[in-house]
């Protein structure tokens, strides 16, 4: 079973009246029109088809309509996701969603706070060969905000995990806007450190102690293992900012998924999806907008993030 997470960079539909960024107002001077919308759908669908995950979590989906249009484009290309959900109860610009070939038993939204600046977390539950699996899709506050804002999301997530139970099969995925070793980066990036060195991904979710390859990891109660540690160091990235590689997108798993029983992570299968067509020179070939007072869509590119994937064995 392959699971993936992918920030698809501002997939907005063409309906008016929705909360969106100015350059995505339909049929405006920015050229966000049917032609460019279809190109964006086809380009993102190409990536998702090449990944061919059984379950793929998505970030930066503008609406249910946009998710359905992406799903239709995928179907036309030969990849059918029968099941889909989106966290759209809050009127945020962009939302998280999920596409799945496997039936979703239920989905619910984990509210972080009532404020629009915090996106809801999407919780989904699956039953695979009689084994329960929970997947939480996240998109935390960007680095435009301090670490305390990401900690708010992490605490809401942790509270829900505690209600389910750490012993369950749980996967946390998404754009956490956090490195797998954010606590180390904090030493240099003081502008984000308003929490006395405590980080959302490392301290709240407890993902510091298991910092080695999965084949060597030992059980540590109530901790999450970040699959980036099972990837070669040079390949631990999903984003490039000013020439520097960053691992903003993460897949973290509960301890039960390391024990090689019912559902378990397959060692050495985690990776970023770094197909050559997703790069332009040394940068990720993101969706292209012109510079200037009015940014215009060029009808080229994919996303500013790479997807992250991993495989799991199901007995």
């Amino acid at each position: 079973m392959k699971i993936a997470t992918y920030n698809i960079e501002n997939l907005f539909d063409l309906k008016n009246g929705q909360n969106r960024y100015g350059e995505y107002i339909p049929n405006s001077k920015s050229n966000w029109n049917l032609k460019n919308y279809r190109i964006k759908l086809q380009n993102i669908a190409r990536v998702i088809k090449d990944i061919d995950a059984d379950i793929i979590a998505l970030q930066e989906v503008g609406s249910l309509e946009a998710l359905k249009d992406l799903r239709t484009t995928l179907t036309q290309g030969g990849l059918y996701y029968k099941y889909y959900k989106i966290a759209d109860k809050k009127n945020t610009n962009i939302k998280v969603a999920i596409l799945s070939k496997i039936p979703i038993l239920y989905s619910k939204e984990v509210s972080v706070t009532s404020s629009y600046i915090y996106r809801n977390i999407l919780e989904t539950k699956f039953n695979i060969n009689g084994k329960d699996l929970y997947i939480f899709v996240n998109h935390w506050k960007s680095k435009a905000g301090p670490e305390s804002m990401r900690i708010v999301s992490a605490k809401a997530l942790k509270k829900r995990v505690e209600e389910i139970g750490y012993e369950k099969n749980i996967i946390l995925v998404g754009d956490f806007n956090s490195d797998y070793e954010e606590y180390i980066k904090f030493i240099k990036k003081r502008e984000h450190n308003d929490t006395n060195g405590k980080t959302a991904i490392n301290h709240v979710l407890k993902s510091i102690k298991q910092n080695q390859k999965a084949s060597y990891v030992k059980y540590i109660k109530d901790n999450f293992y970040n699959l980036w540690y099972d990837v070669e160091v040079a390949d631990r990235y999903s984003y490039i900012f000013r020439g520097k590689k960053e691992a903003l997108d993460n897949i973290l798993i509960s301890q039960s998924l390391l024990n090689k029983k019912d559902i378990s992570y397959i060692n050495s299968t985690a990776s970023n999806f770094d197909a050559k067509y997703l790069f332009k020179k040394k940068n990720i070939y993101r969706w292209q907008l012109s510079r200037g007072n009015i940014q215009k869509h060029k009808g080229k590119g994919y996303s500013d993030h790479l997807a992250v994937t991993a495989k799991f064995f199901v007995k």
Side-chain angles (χ1 to χ4, degrees):
M1 177 180 64
K2 181 187 281 189
I3 290 175
T5 181
Y6 189 26
N7 182 322
I8 58 177
E9 192 183 12
N10 298 330
L11 183 65
F12 289 101
D13 61 39
L14 293 176
K15 288 188 176 181
N16 284 300
Q18 295 178 343
N19 192 20
R20 62 180 72 217
Y21 306 119
E23 63 270 25
Y24 286 93
I25 295 174
N27 304 309
S28 63
K29 291 182 180 180
S30 68
N31 291 335
W32 186 240
N33 50 35
L34 183 58
K35 177 183 177 181
N36 284 326
Y37 181 48
R38 284 177 172 170
I39 294 172
K40 173 77 172 183
L41 287 169
Q42 289 166 358
N43 287 7
I44 295 300
R46 177 187 179 183
V47 180
I48 294 174
K49 184 179 178 183
D50 287 349
I51 293 169
D52 194 21
D54 296 285
I55 301 170
I56 184 165
L58 303 172
Q59 300 85 50
E60 297 200 16
V61 182
S63 65
L64 177 60
E65 189 72 22
L67 181 65
K68 288 181 176 180
D69 288 344
L70 176 59
R71 180 172 170 267
T72 298
T73 306
L74 285 163
T75 301
Q76 292 169 346
L79 181 59
Y80 181 48
Y81 286 106
K82 185 175 181 179
Y83 310 97
Y84 58 96
K85 296 292 180 180
I86 186 170
D88 61 354
K89 290 184 178 179
K90 184 183 285 189
N91 188 29
T92 53
N93 283 346
I94 46 180
K95 304 163 180 67
V96 297
I98 199 163
L99 295 171
S100 177
K101 299 176 186 178
I102 302 168
I104 299 171
L105 288 185
Y106 77 75
S107 71
K108 61 182 291 185
E109 296 184 31
V110 178
S111 176
V112 177
T113 73
S114 59
S115 173
Y116 74 93
I117 63 175
Y118 293 97
R119 290 175 280 267
N120 284 355
I121 298 166
L122 180 61
E123 173 189 334
T124 53
K125 183 180 180 181
F126 301 83
N127 187 274
I128 305 169
N129 290 358
K131 316 299 181 189
D132 289 340
L133 175 67
Y134 297 84
I135 297 179
F136 289 85
V137 188
N138 298 261
H139 189 187
W140 293 358
K141 178 63 179 177
S142 74
K143 292 294 179 69
E147 187 64 13
S148 57
M149 299 184 75
R150 286 174 287 282
I151 280 184
V152 171
S153 294
K155 285 183 175 179
L157 175 59
K158 180 182 178 181
K159 180 181 178 182
R160 179 57 187 149
V161 168
E162 288 174 341
E163 291 172 354
I164 294 172
Y166 280 96
E167 75 281 359
K168 301 294 179 61
N169 299 317
I170 300 171
I171 303 178
L172 314 178
V173 300
D175 180 358
F176 292 81
N177 276 302
S178 302
D179 188 82
Y180 62 97
E181 289 184 340
E182 189 70 20
Y183 70 104
I184 295 176
K185 288 195 170 187
F186 254 35
I187 297 171
K188 295 181 179 180
K189 293 189 175 182
R190 296 184 179 182
E191 70 272 20
H192 295 132
N193 187 357
D194 64 339
T195 55
N196 294 319
K198 301 298 182 183
T199 65
I201 194 168
N202 300 131
H203 294 91
V204 178
L205 298 184
K206 295 184 180 179
S207 62
I208 295 178
K209 294 181 179 180
Q210 295 179 304
N211 56 350
Q212 54 188 322
K213 290 278 187 178
S215 56
Y216 298 105
V217 167
K218 295 182 180 180
Y219 177 94
I220 303 178
K221 185 179 180 182
D222 298 353
N223 277 236
F224 277 93
Y225 177 64
N226 195 318
L227 295 187
W228 280 123
Y229 283 114
D230 205 41
V231 178
E232 294 302 318
V233 175
D235 297 324
R236 294 178 187 176
Y237 73 98
S238 61
Y239 190 77
I240 299 176
F241 182 68
R242 295 177 180 175
K244 295 183 178 180
K245 295 178 178 180
E246 300 183 0
L248 301 183
D249 306 272
N250 295 263
I251 301 177
L252 297 97
I253 61 175
S254 60
Q255 300 299 286
S256 62
L257 293 168
L258 288 167
N259 64 14
K260 305 306 174 187
K261 296 180 180 178
D262 48 66
I263 302 175
S264 60
Y265 166 66
I266 301 174
N267 294 350
S268 302
T269 61
S271 69
N272 60 12
F273 182 73
D274 60 350
K276 289 184 178 180
Y277 65 82
L278 294 175
F279 293 86
K280 192 171 185 179
K281 295 182 179 179
K282 293 184 179 181
N283 293 311
I284 295 173
Y285 192 17
R286 66 181 301 174
W287 183 251
Q288 298 294 295
L289 286 165
S290 67
R291 297 181 180 180
N293 293 331
I294 299 176
Q295 290 184 300
K296 294 186 178 182
H297 296 269
K298 296 182 178 181
K300 299 177 182 178
Y302 298 86
S303 168
D304 54 348
H305 288 244
L306 300 178
V308 184
T309 71
K311 293 181 180 179
F312 294 79
F313 179 71
V314 182
K315 288 186 179 180

